[in-house]
Structures are given as structure tokens and as C-alpha cells.
Amino acid sequence: MVAGALALLPAGETIRFLDPAFGTGAFLSALLGLVPAGQVAGLAGFEIDAHYGEPARELWRGSRLDLTLGDFTRAEVPCPGPPNFSTQPNLPVQPNLIICNPPYVRHHHLEPADKRRLQALGERVAGVRLSGLAGLYAYFMLLAHGWAAPGAIAAWLVPAEFMDVNYGAGLRRYLAERVTILRLHRFHPVDVQFGDALVTSAVLWWRHAPPPAGHCVRFTSGGSIAAPRLSERVPAERLRLAPKWRCGAFSPEAEAESGTESESGATLGDLFEIKRGVATGDNRFFILNEAKIAQLGLPFECFQPILPGPRGLGPEVLEIRADAEGLPQLDNRLYLLDCRLPMPDLAERYPALGRYLDSGVPAVSERYLCRHRTPWYAQDRRAPPPLLCTYMGRGAAPFRFLRNYSRAIAPNVYLLLYPKADLAADPALIDRLWRGLNSMGAAGLIAAGRVYGGGLHKLEPGELKRLPLKGVLAASPCCSA
Ligand SMILES: C[S@@+](CC[C@H](N)C(=O)[O-])C[C@H]1O[C@@H](n2cnc3c(N)ncnc32)[C@H](O)[C@@H]1O
């Protein structure tokens, strides 16, 4: 964060640093590790909590740090507004580098009178009135506007929620209109930056100047700040008008998909593609066990392992282990017949298989799904899913999530969860999510799905996609620790 901000300042510029939520000074420490002492003209910080402020004073004794033990939001603002750049004085005390991870105090922990004071002050300083639902961090960002020297660079580590929710509209407008956002990075929803704050975080860097005509913001997400998974350049004008800020969300397809996300935060669909398992057209004909394949003399290379349905697995099974060849460690292993060779070639190469398929004409070949395939015995392609959900069931715990380490695919009595992008390369994280899904309690899952007469609960792929991630992560043994 700090290195990114320094790279945005003119080379060699004398630095006047401010951290309005200083804590013990992680950002100052980073700064002093990156620039020679002679380049620093001033260091300032605010810390309201003596528990951090006193040790911080001790820690930084002998440095030129001017640390105020007090409330940043009550300090006299150098330029209290209106936020008009042309009339702002360039006072020597004004910081040209602001780096901050402001407090994540939610709005319902702000006293009503304090909230009104902050709303009025924010509006005076930054020209935007925030919704009463905005958290304290949003006011820190607005008030810092009145501190920054013209052209100053700021870097903020904040909850990403303001990018999606309606009550973030004021802060988005401020950022899009009053300063020049240079880069915005959104961390992956499960990559929480702080153990004690279960929020998706974002870092944004801005320059204290109105956005120049045609300005584009570098918008990144996932991975790390140095190596993000997604990156795009978004015209500032589009950000100004967009109802939500999401990397990759500025294409028409993504905008259509964003309808699946809840207002309040990330969902399972942010992490996984969710598909139905394979609909074979006739399980009894296409799915065979090892003994049957051997008995009929069929070629094993035309089959792929497939999991039995939840009943065939047994009610206790939550995990499918694999042997050295990746086959599921199950007593009665099943295989799906899947060969796309046209019949004459197939019959010539595998005569026994040709005879077997002939035995399915017309009883199987004329079934609805088979009739609509070419050749009629071809199957839909699916990769082995690392996570599956039994999406129909009765009773108090109707759904089960299975972790699959084998290369078996699964039939359509399951929903298959395929991790997106960088989650795919993180099996430990998939394990955590799997545990969370199985421990979160049935109520959330039942509420997400539908119930039929007789008490049959069901979850459609779209419903599972909309499942809020918060409950899953909170239930995951590692995440809640
Ligand atoms: C998220 S932490 C930042 C930690 C900091 N970056 C560090 O290196 O320790 C936010 C800090 O802001 C402080 N804080 C909360 N409200 C404040 C306020 N109104 N004025 C100044 N500091 C405040 C908290 O006590 C906490 O230390």
C-alpha cells in the first residue's frame, strides 16, 4: 500500500505524512523503510485509544512524529470547505501523503448526535452527505479531504462494502467526482485481511485533484495488490454512473450476472460456478459397475468414474478420497459410458461396445435426452467437481456438502461447485468452505431454497449461488477462530 502510494508521488518529493487512525504505526514503519530520512519533512498521526496511543508514543520517541492522542473527527480541519480545489491554500502543514486503515465502526455503534455531526462536517468538507447507514471509515475518508494538500496522494484500506451497497452511494460519488482515483483493489471475498473483522477489504489510492477529462481508473481484484487476479481500466465517468463497483462488472455479461448478488455482500456464487451434475438420459444403461463392464467385455477407456447418488454413498459420507489413480475409494465403484466416436468407427474399434449400444436402440436411443444428442450415446462433459451438494432432501438437515478429491464426476442428483479462478488453486480454502457449509446449520440453506408439499427441500443452482458467504465463513472452524 505504502510503496504503491510513494510510486504515485513525484520522484524525490519531500514527504509530509499523515495517518488519521495511527494505531501503533504500521504504515509509518513501512514508509520509513522505503524512503531516506532526509526526504521526510513531517509526520503526523491521530489515535483515540490510549491503549495504542501511549505505546505508540514510546515506540516512536525520538522520531519527528507528532502524534495526537485524540479523535481525528474532532480535530480542526485545515481546509474545512467547500471542497473547491482552486481556492485551497497550500499550507506547509498539509500532508501530501495520507495512508490510513480507518476504524470499521458500524453505523449502529455511532451515537445519533455524533452521526449528525459527522454527516454535517463531511458535507461541509467534501461536499457529500453520507447516508445514516455509513460506517465511521467513510467519514474518515471525507474529512481527510480537508487535510490533504493539493495533489496529495492517499491510500485507504477500507471495507469493500461501500462499492456495492446503496448506502455507499455518497462515498462513491465523492470518490468519483472530487478526487482522482488512481487505483482500486478489491481483495477476494474469502481473503479476509483481519482475523477480527469479517469483511471484504479494498485498497484505494487517490490524488487530491478533480479527475481530468477522460481519466481511467485501474481497477483490480483478487490475488494480491502486487499480483491481482483481474485487472481492467474503467473510465472514471462510468464509475460515477455505475450502481455497483466490481472489477469485471463493467461488461454487459457481468452486469447481467450481478443480479445474483445480494445487497449485503459476497455470495457463494462469487466463489463457485454451480452446475447440475450429468443427466445421462438413462442411468441404468449408461452407468455400470466394474463387474458389469468386465462381464460384458467393454473397454474401460470409454468410461469415466462417476459417483453414486447420495443414497448409494450412505448418509454418513462427506468426503470422497481417491486412490493413487484418482479413482474414488468406494466399495462399489461406478462408471459412466461416454464415447463420442460415430457408430461405424466405434463398432469396428470396440465390437463389444457396439453390440451393447445396439441393444439400447430404440428403447434408450429414443429417450428425450438421447434423441437430442449426436451421437445419441454422447454425454455432457463435466470436470470432476471438488465440492458437491445433495440438493434435495427431507428432515432437519436436508442438504449435505461432499468434498471430492477423486476424478469422479457426478450425476444430476447433485449440484457441482467449481471454484472460480484463484480459489481453484487453494485446496485448503476449499476445505474451509466445505466445513463451513456443513456446519452452518440447515436453517440458512433451507431459507435459501424451496420446500415442496410433504416437506421435500430443494436448492436450485441460482439459489445456492445467492447464499450469503458471511454465514458460511462464520461457521467455518478456521475462519471463526
Ligand atoms: C484499523 S486500526 C488501524 C491500525 C494502524 N494502521 C496500526 O498500524 O496499528 C484503526 C485505529 O483507529 C483508531 N481510532 C478509532 N477511532 C478513532 C478516531 N475517532 N480518531 C483517531 N483514531 C481512531 C483505533 O483505536 C485504531 O487504533
Side-chain angles (χ1 to χ4, degrees), residues 20-27 46-49 52 70-72 101-103 140:
F22 190 79
T24 50
F27 293 132
F46 285 83
E47 175 52 56
I48 200 168
D49 188 343
Y52 299 108
D71 184 344
F72 171 65
N101 173 206
F140 263 64

Side-chain angles (χ1 to χ4, degrees), residues 92-412:
V93 291
Q94 282 183 276
N96 61 354
L97 182 66
I98 299 178
I99 316 273
C100 188
N101 173 206
Y104 293 8
V105 179
R106 293 186 184 279
H107 78 95
H108 38 263
H109 296 300
L110 297 175
E111 292 296 329
D114 213 20
K115 205 184 272 185
R116 285 195 295 276
R117 174 184 70 84
L118 288 167
Q119 280 178 315
L121 189 56
E123 188 169 14
R124 187 147 61 88
V125 172
V128 168
R129 188 172 182 84
L130 294 185
S131 150
L133 302 178
L136 184 56
Y137 74 90
Y139 295 102
F140 263 64
M141 292 173 91
L142 293 197
L143 298 192
H145 189 89
W147 286 79
I153 296 294
W156 295 90
L157 171 56
V158 288
E161 62 180 22
F162 79 88
M163 293 159 69
D164 299 327
V165 295
N166 288 339
Y167 62 81
L171 187 56
R172 292 199 296 272
R173 186 154 66 83
Y174 159 72
L175 291 167
E177 292 177 2
R178 306 260 186 235
V179 292
T180 304
I181 310 175
L182 299 164
R183 181 175 170 197
L184 218 168
H185 177 80
R186 183 182 182 127
F187 287 96
H188 198 278
V190 295
D191 190 8
V192 289
Q193 299 300 301
F194 309 98
D196 58 349
L198 221 122
V199 292
T200 305
S201 299
V203 176
L204 62 90
W205 292 260
W206 56 239
R207 175 174 288 122
H208 199 241
H215 175 67
C216 284
V217 175
R218 184 169 172 227
F219 205 141
T220 58
S221 84
S224 63
I225 291 173
R229 185 170 63 77
L230 286 178
S231 179
E232 65 180 332
R233 298 187 72 77
V234 180
E237 186 57 19
R238 291 211 57 194
L239 275 190
R240 200 169 67 77
L241 300 172
K244 289 185 181 203
W245 290 5
R246 284 257 155 140
C247 191
F250 295 90
S251 64
E253 311 85 88
E255 270 166 14
E257 209 183 85
S258 71
T260 63
E261 285 156 1
S262 77
E263 274 290 279
S264 54
T267 65
L268 204 61
D270 288 334
L271 302 183
F272 293 95
E273 292 287 348
I274 300 178
K275 297 182 177 169
R276 293 180 195 284
V278 180
T280 65
D282 186 338
N283 287 353
R284 290 227 304 229
F285 185 78
F286 290 110
I287 298 180
L288 306 177
N289 63 18
E290 274 165 352
K292 188 80 183 169
I293 294 170
Q295 182 203 331
L296 293 169
L298 303 178
F300 259 105
E301 68 254 42
C302 295
F303 287 82
Q304 66 179 130
I306 188 165
L307 297 176
R311 243 181 279 155
L313 272 184
E316 255 71 70
V317 175
L318 290 178
E319 209 172 354
I320 316 291
R321 296 248 150 230
D323 68 10
E325 291 172 59
L327 295 173
Q329 289 183 342
L330 297 172
D331 291 342
N332 183 23
R333 268 204 288 261
L334 298 178
Y335 293 83
L336 173 68
L337 170 55
D338 180 19
C339 181
R340 289 169 179 246
L341 282 178
M343 188 44 96
D345 299 350
L346 182 148
E348 193 184 330
R349 196 154 153 200
Y350 307 114
L353 183 57
R355 285 193 297 278
Y356 181 71
L357 288 172
D358 277 346
S359 74
V361 180
V364 180
S365 64
E366 284 305 309
R367 295 182 73 147
Y368 180 82
L369 285 179
C370 298
R371 245 188 313 151
H372 291 85
R373 291 178 185 144
T374 312
W376 63 268
Y377 43 83
Q379 297 291 340
D380 284 346
R381 288 275 147 88
R382 291 276 189 287
L387 208 57
L388 307 89
C389 169
T390 64
Y391 72 95
M392 267 191 297
R394 295 174 191 278
F399 309 115
R400 239 190 312 166
F401 288 84
L402 306 175
R403 182 73 166 99
N404 176 31
Y405 298 99
S406 79
R407 58 183 173 85
I409 56 165
N412 62 346

